[in-house]
Amino acid sequence: MEIAKTYKPADAEKRWYPYWLAKGFFKSTPDHRTPYTIVIPPPNVTGVLHMGHMLNNTIQDVLIRRARMMGYNACWVPGTDHASIATEAKVVKLLADKGIKKADLGREEFLKHAWDWKEKYGGIILEQLKMLGASCDWDRTRFTMSPEMSEAVLDVFVDLHKKGRIYRGVRMVNWDPLGLTAVSDEEVIYKETNSKLVYVKYKIENSEEFITVATTRPETIMGDTAVCVNPADERYTHLRGKNIIIPVVNRIVPLIFDEYVDAAFGTGALKVTPAHDINDFNLGQKHKLPIIDALTPEGKISEAAGAYSGMDRFACRKQIIKDLQEQGLVEKIEEIKNKVGYSERTDAVIEPKLSMQWFLNMEELSKPALDQVLNGHVKLIPEKFINTYKHWMENVHDWCISRQLWWGQRIPAWYDNAGNTAVCKTREEAFVELKIKNEKLRIEDIKQDEDVLDTWFSSWLWPMTVFDPQVIKNGWENANADLKYYYPTNDLVTAPEILFFWVARMIIAGKEYTGQKPFNNVYLTGIVRDKQGRKMSKSLGNSPDPLELITKYGADGVRVGMLLSSPAGNDLLFDESYCEQGRNFANKVWNAFRLIRGFEVASGPGAGKLEGGGKKEQPASSKAAIIWFENKLAEQLEVINDHYSKYRMSDALMATYKLVWDDFCAWYLEAIKPDFVDGKSLSIDQITYDCTIGFLESLLKIMHPWMPFITEEIWHLIGERKENDCILVAEWPTIRATPQTKLLAEFEICKELVTMVRNVRAQKQLSPKEKLELIERSEAGRSTYDSVIVKLANLSSFSYTKNKIESALSFVIGTTEFYVPLSITINKEDEKERLLKELVYNRGFLKSVQIKLANEKFVANAKPEVIDVERKKESDALNKIRTLEEQLAGL
């Protein structure tokens, strides 16, 4: 079969992904094997592929593909999240573009439009993941709002309400004036904003005195119901019992004293606005202050405020400052930077707002989830996030689980016309319960709660309900075969910013409903940033389109590019050049394969006929190179496996990259490549060819999790294979023997020696084809790799001597001196300059090592083997300096 000159990623991607799907290689059902399970963090149904998805899902695919090759029953469950706020916003906008208002439609009609939108656009991101190569079991695709998943959510609500953990009440919440819903603390993004700190003078009643209060939110002054100072603040002790006149509305309110106020901060006086700040609310409750809500749900000034009614909050802010200045009530204005909360979904500035909501009491529920991480049952990778997790869990607040939306699981709470409430899954169940309290009640008089549940209230069940949505109702003892087999899952790959409000909550739900953890390990990725360190976003225009990257560099190139510099938990500074490097790596592998397939193999078992008769034996250089690469492959496979076990994904990739590019392509293939004579390549012996193909197959397997498409393509081009003989399901390479470290160390010297001879050629502008003589000054010859050195350095001979060779160019490796006799006259001044540079470098190196060894703290704390390495460096450097000094003296 003719092999294309250049690798075409798009062709391989179109060929192999449908093939894998058709053969059912991604499918998983319970069997005798040990399961390896990952559940995808479900992307929003509104989403399209972005760089964060690329990073997260590439890591998942690498883990699942390797597990599959290691013989595990690998199951990667895909799915999407219904994303209440984001989806409703999309549908509302779609309708608005058609001139239709949500409120005019009514709930049922609106939901029909929402489901239509979901069916049309909701699967886009999953199809895009297929282009990346994601090997999910697509038959298991789940949606958090499917009927069976929604039933599980309602089961949990009813159950936790019966247990007394869910309650309804008026509390301070984060209000999104654009989305018109409460959002959780975790859905509020704090941004540094330029603000004005306005110092407003509040008049003391029946006095000419003023008390100055600093605020960034003067539009809430109309909601003030007190001014508070610290009881120990001597500036205000004479004002005890006095009242304050609120500017603009001239409301009379008390001056209260509370240790909550920091006397050293600002003016030491605080305006108390119970309806618009959680701390003010708490103060208001403590001092029994009235509550005046100065804002409407849409973020406009309310009628209750008493002034500026109907004006937008930010327009009011500007106007009230102007009016206060005209009244002489502004002492000064400072330009400051402060953190302002924005809605993650709508980007509207969040308003603290008192609202009737449903809450889940987290205090008792969260304790087992904290223990699971602290005792190591659930491992966070990297471990630096344990303290963050601990802090969050020890300071957990009740979870506001209701949202003022229509798209989502509607809260199963029912109200009669007498003020009674029943929490039941169905109207019929609620009627039976409410009828006990209200005998005259008719079923048509029952009204269901208008709110839906927070999206996270469904996704916290994800690892359980993707396998068995009935487990909430039936219990772990009666769970289905899938859940009993796949759960707990193995690895979760997600972002640190959702560690608390998704990861922790899944652990809570898992313990509550199965008694088990939901996963063993949580791999926390970093944030993908541009090379300037900025978070990628549409507004900055610094986020490339992943699909365009795949078109340009191939899926394999992008996968490698994403993971070349993405250590767990640390941000990835993405540069498109990484994808280019990934594409170049694929091309390198392709060209290496073409080179191997281009070899003419001598006939016969391990030998071919020579022109003059007899047999062609395996060259000594090839035999030595094979022995070396067998050991190198075993050594690096051990290293790569260790990196995987510690979730050092970038390190595992880089070790793979160097093994293929440097060790196999740059050294091994050069060592076994047939020589050219009269412009023609000589044949390669069968043994060497077979070993080389074997090495290539092992390398393709190691590369496959990172580069699935090119490895499958080459796997099938190597030779005829059965239809199910794909690299995707091939066996991960095993280490057959312990690597011989002595042989590997000797080859490192061999590489250095070849490099030095090549440097001599470059310095003296000698043709690479011109054969050189190399002499080593030593007592005993090094024989293992002499033939490799002769071939790679293109030597006429490599010999040994005890004597110093005059009139030859020399260099030192370790403590050994080497000579290259040249027919040209050596310029002594140039040689002296070269040796002096080398001497200066080695003296500097020696000094750095000796400083380290003179450091008592280093010597006391370092491991003995580390100290030994440093002492060896010192000894080698001293010997090298001595040899260089002798060479200079000789000149």
Side-chain angles (χ1 to χ4, degrees):
M1 181 189 297
E2 188 176 343
I3 301 163
K5 187 176 180 181
T6 57
Y7 173 60
K8 295 176 181 174
D11 291 350
E13 290 156 20
K14 288 173 186 171
R15 178 164 33 253
W16 293 114
Y17 200 87
Y19 189 88
W20 294 330
L21 285 175
K23 295 299 175 187
F25 289 146
F26 304 161
K27 282 179 64 64
S28 175
T29 53
D31 60 22
H32 63 282
R33 292 173 294 169
T34 302
Y36 175 85
T37 318
I38 294 178
V39 293
I40 198 171
N44 287 352
V45 74
T46 57
V48 292
L49 203 62
H50 60 60
M51 298 303 284
H53 293 133
M54 293 283 282
L55 173 62
N56 185 293
N57 287 283
T58 298
I59 292 170
Q60 290 177 80
D61 197 43
V62 168
L63 292 171
I64 209 81
R65 283 178 182 273
R66 180 171 179 267
R68 192 180 287 121
M69 296 175 79
M70 292 183 75
Y72 292 100
N73 188 348
C75 180
W76 184 11
V77 181
T80 50
D81 190 292
H82 64 274
S84 293
I85 298 174
T87 304
E88 185 145 326
K90 288 270 188 187
V91 178
V92 167
K93 185 180 183 306
L94 183 73
L95 292 171
D97 291 343
K98 297 176 181 179
I100 303 170
K101 290 183 179 178
K102 170 187 166 183
D104 294 341
L105 279 178
R107 189 180 200 117
E108 296 307 316
E109 194 62 31
F110 175 81
L111 287 175
K112 286 179 183 177
H113 285 279
W115 277 106
D116 288 345
W117 185 94
K118 183 266 173 187
E119 293 305 317
K120 187 173 182 180
Y121 300 106
I124 289 175
I125 193 166
L126 298 184
E127 292 304 310
Q128 291 173 333
L129 285 176
K130 293 176 182 178
M131 296 175 69
L132 183 65
S135 57
C136 302
D137 184 348
W138 298 107
D139 291 345
R140 291 183 176 274
T141 302
R142 299 290 184 262
F143 175 51
T144 55
M145 215 171 115
S146 65
E148 65 276 11
M149 300 287 269
S150 290
E151 186 177 347
V153 173
L154 301 183
D155 284 334
V156 168
F157 186 95
V158 172
D159 176 65
L160 292 177
H161 184 267
K162 283 180 181 175
K163 291 173 179 174
R165 288 175 173 161
I166 285 178
Y167 63 94
R168 190 172 186 241
V170 175
R171 296 288 187 277
M172 186 70 70
V173 297
N174 302 303
W175 184 260
D176 180 345
L178 189 58
L180 294 176
T181 181
V183 296
S184 67
D185 291 345
E186 296 77 23
E187 291 167 301
V188 178
I189 307 299
Y190 287 91
K191 302 177 186 178
E192 193 171 81
T193 307
N194 293 319
S195 298
K196 295 181 187 297
L197 183 62
V198 185
Y199 287 76
V200 182
K201 296 194 292 186
Y202 286 54
K203 196 172 190 306
I204 309 298
E205 186 186 26
N206 300 322
S207 168
E208 294 303 312
E209 275 191 84
F210 289 87
I211 188 167
T212 301
V213 174
T215 179
T216 57
R217 306 185 66 213
E219 70 276 12
T220 64
I221 283 174
M222 291 83 74
D224 291 354
T225 56
V227 172
C228 186
V229 295
N230 192 297
D233 193 336
E234 294 179 356
R235 292 172 295 177
Y236 304 117
T237 51
H238 70 288
L239 297 176
R240 278 188 181 276
K242 297 287 186 181
N243 288 327
I244 308 294
I245 301 174
I246 301 299
V248 181
V249 292
N250 296 320
R251 183 183 305 121
I252 307 298
V253 302
L255 176 68
I256 62 174
F257 291 77
D258 197 289
E259 291 179 350
Y260 166 75
V261 178
D262 182 356
F265 184 77
T267 66
L270 175 77
K271 65 189 281 297
V272 183
T273 320
H276 298 289
D277 182 274
I278 183 60
N279 297 311
D280 290 10
F281 174 74
N282 293 334
L283 270 175
Q285 293 290 293
K286 182 177 178 180
H287 293 272
K288 297 182 171 55
L289 299 175
I291 295 170
I292 299 172
D293 193 343
L295 294 172
T296 68
E298 294 80 15
K300 295 182 179 180
I301 306 304
S302 69
E303 292 283 347
Y308 306 105
S309 177
M311 186 179 285
D312 176 78
R313 53 185 168 153
F314 298 120
C316 179
R317 181 179 297 180
K318 291 179 181 178
Q319 186 62 47
I320 198 171
I321 292 173
K322 183 180 177 183
D323 292 348
L324 289 170
Q325 285 174 321
E326 289 175 356
Q327 296 170 37
L329 296 178
V330 175
E331 187 175 288
K332 62 178 179 177
I333 298 175
E334 292 178 354
E335 298 291 336
I336 65 166
K337 289 185 181 294
N338 65 330
K339 297 280 189 180
V340 175
Y342 288 77
S343 169
E344 183 184 33
R345 297 299 177 202
T346 66
D347 205 38
V349 173
I350 290 294
E351 285 292 342
K353 181 179 173 62
L354 285 172
S355 178
M356 177 68 78
Q357 302 286 346
W358 288 90
F359 295 87
L360 173 60
N361 186 308
M362 297 292 285
E363 188 175 357
E364 290 301 317
L365 276 173
S366 63
K367 287 178 181 176
L370 176 58
D371 294 341
Q372 285 286 300
V373 170
L374 295 184
N375 63 24
H377 289 170
V378 175
K379 291 184 170 60
L380 301 186
I381 301 156
E383 292 182 348
K384 70 178 183 180
F385 286 106
I386 292 175
N387 285 336
T388 305
Y389 182 88
K390 182 173 183 285
H391 174 75
W392 279 341
M393 297 302 283
E394 288 178 343
N395 296 277
V396 69
H397 299 292
D398 286 0
W399 176 9
C400 176
I401 56 175
S402 48
R403 297 290 180 269
Q404 289 63 57
L405 302 165
W406 287 348
W407 176 252
Q409 286 95 4
R410 193 172 179 181
I411 290 175
W414 308 80
Y415 310 104
D416 67 8
N417 50 14
N420 299 308
T421 303
V423 171
C424 304
K425 279 174 68 175
T426 65
R427 179 183 295 271
E428 290 71 26
E429 289 172 325
F431 178 66
V432 172
E433 192 171 312
L434 290 168
K435 186 83 171 169
I436 297 169
K437 301 175 185 176
N438 188 350
E439 291 182 1
K440 295 180 180 179
L441 182 68
R442 299 177 304 165
I443 195 166
E444 56 266 28
D445 294 332
I446 296 174
K447 305 294 182 190
Q448 186 175 359
D449 198 299
E450 290 293 322
D451 292 351
V452 299
L453 286 157
D454 179 11
T455 302
W456 297 105
F457 198 80
S458 58
S459 54
W460 75 324
L461 309 176
W462 185 251
M464 297 179 287
T465 53
V466 294
F467 296 113
D468 185 3
Q470 301 295 315
V471 68
I472 309 301
K473 186 166 53 182
N474 298 337
W476 175 254
E477 298 76 14
N478 300 308
N480 67 16
D482 270 14
L483 189 64
K484 287 285 183 78
Y485 180 75
Y486 292 113
Y487 189 93
T489 65
N490 293 77
D491 295 321
L492 177 76
V493 181
T494 190
E497 55 263 35
I498 57 173
L499 178 59
F500 172 69
F501 70 111
W502 190 44
V503 177
R505 288 170 180 167
M506 284 189 286
I507 299 173
I508 290 169
K511 288 295 288 181
E512 182 72 13
Y513 291 105
T514 69
Q516 300 190 55
K517 58 187 177 181
F519 27 69
N520 298 325
N521 306 293
V522 181
Y523 180 99
L524 297 157
T525 67
I527 296 170
V528 183
R529 299 183 181 275
D530 66 16
K531 52 188 175 184
Q532 296 176 43
R534 301 174 304 174
K535 188 174 180 180
M536 289 189 168
S537 68
K538 288 181 182 176
S539 59
L540 287 175
N542 63 346
S543 182
D545 181 342
L547 299 182
E548 288 180 7
L549 290 176
I550 289 173
T551 301
K552 189 173 181 181
Y553 300 106
D556 291 341
V558 176
R559 288 165 68 109
V560 169
M562 290 297 298
L563 294 177
L564 274 173
S565 60
S566 59
N570 291 328
D571 292 350
L572 182 156
L573 296 181
F574 178 78
D575 189 322
E576 199 169 315
S577 63
Y578 290 137
C579 295
E580 186 177 359
Q581 189 177 351
R583 180 188 63 190
N584 293 346
F585 185 35
N587 290 338
K588 182 75 172 179
V589 174
W590 184 259
N591 290 334
F593 169 62
R594 287 185 69 246
L595 173 70
I596 295 165
R597 280 302 299 267
F599 293 157
E600 183 182 334
V601 184
S603 59
K609 295 289 183 181
L610 296 173
E611 285 186 12
K615 289 187 177 182
K616 177 184 177 182
E617 299 297 331
Q618 183 185 31
S621 56
S622 295
K623 190 173 185 178
I626 288 168
I627 292 169
W628 165 70
F629 195 75
E630 278 177 344
N631 282 274
K632 190 67 180 178
L633 181 60
E635 176 202 55
Q636 288 305 300
L637 183 56
E638 211 169 69
V639 168
I640 290 165
N641 286 340
D642 183 60
H643 286 322
Y644 271 115
S645 72
K646 294 168 181 169
Y647 294 86
R648 294 175 181 161
M649 306 302 286
S650 287
D651 293 341
L653 172 57
M654 189 51 70
T656 303
Y657 183 95
K658 289 178 178 177
L659 176 64
V660 175
W661 191 297
D662 296 343
D663 298 320
F664 185 69
C665 295
W667 290 101
Y668 174 78
L669 288 182
E670 291 300 312
I672 61 97
K673 186 169 68 176
D675 291 329
F676 271 77
V677 175
D678 297 330
K680 289 184 178 180
S681 173
L682 299 178
S683 61
I684 189 172
D685 63 280
Q686 189 73 48
I687 292 174
T688 301
Y689 182 78
D690 290 345
C691 286
T692 303
I693 290 294
F695 290 148
L696 177 62
E697 289 186 336
S698 293
L699 293 173
L700 290 174
K701 290 176 184 178
I702 296 169
M703 290 168 59
H704 177 75
W706 311 99
M707 307 176 80
F709 293 108
I710 190 171
T711 51
E712 193 71 83
E713 182 81 354
I714 294 175
W715 181 259
H716 287 270
L717 287 172
I718 285 172
E720 288 293 322
R721 297 189 186 274
K722 294 177 181 177
E723 61 179 28
N724 286 336
D725 182 7
C726 287
I727 197 167
L728 181 135
V729 289
E731 187 179 339
W732 183 257
T734 53
I735 301 167
R736 293 186 175 85
T738 304
Q740 298 180 50
T741 52
K742 184 172 180 292
L743 279 173
L744 292 171
E746 284 180 6
F747 196 83
E748 291 307 305
I749 296 170
C750 163
K751 285 159 69 174
E752 195 173 350
L753 189 48
V754 170
T755 302
M756 291 299 289
V757 174
R758 288 172 178 172
N759 288 343
V760 168
R761 290 184 188 277
Q763 289 166 11
K764 302 303 176 186
Q765 297 183 331
L766 301 175
S767 168
K769 295 179 181 179
E770 183 181 339
K771 290 189 178 292
L772 300 176
E773 182 184 358
L774 181 65
I775 303 167
E776 178 179 332
R777 188 180 179 186
S778 68
E779 292 292 328
R782 183 188 294 106
S783 58
T784 309
Y785 297 119
D786 284 6
S787 57
V788 176
I789 294 166
V790 168
K791 181 180 176 74
L792 293 179
N794 193 21
L795 303 176
S796 57
S797 66
F798 180 23
S799 58
Y800 299 84
T801 182
K802 296 178 183 178
N803 305 316
K804 185 175 179 63
I805 306 292
E806 302 294 341
S807 302
L809 198 145
S810 62
F811 55 83
V812 179
I813 293 176
T815 58
T816 307
E817 197 169 2
F818 294 85
Y819 305 101
V820 181
L822 296 173
S823 57
I824 61 172
T825 304
I826 296 171
N827 185 316
K828 289 192 176 184
E829 288 305 313
D830 288 350
E831 186 64 8
K832 186 176 180 181
E833 184 181 348
R834 183 183 70 80
L835 291 172
L836 277 169
K837 281 183 181 177
E838 200 171 342
L839 185 60
V840 168
Y841 168 79
N842 279 280
R843 282 174 176 165
F845 177 75
L846 175 64
K847 186 179 179 181
S848 69
V849 173
Q850 289 177 333
I851 287 171
K852 191 182 283 188
L853 289 170
N855 185 329
E856 292 179 5
K857 192 174 180 181
F858 169 75
V859 174
N861 295 322
K863 294 179 180 179
E865 55 267 31
V866 174
I867 302 292
D868 290 343
V869 168
E870 294 303 316
R871 295 205 187 284
K872 176 78 165 50
K873 287 180 184 177
E874 180 185 38
S875 173
D876 288 349
L878 284 167
N879 287 328
K880 195 161 190 176
I881 288 167
R882 191 179 305 115
T883 304
L884 288 167
E885 287 171 341
E886 287 176 4
Q887 288 179 313
L888 281 164
L891 286 170

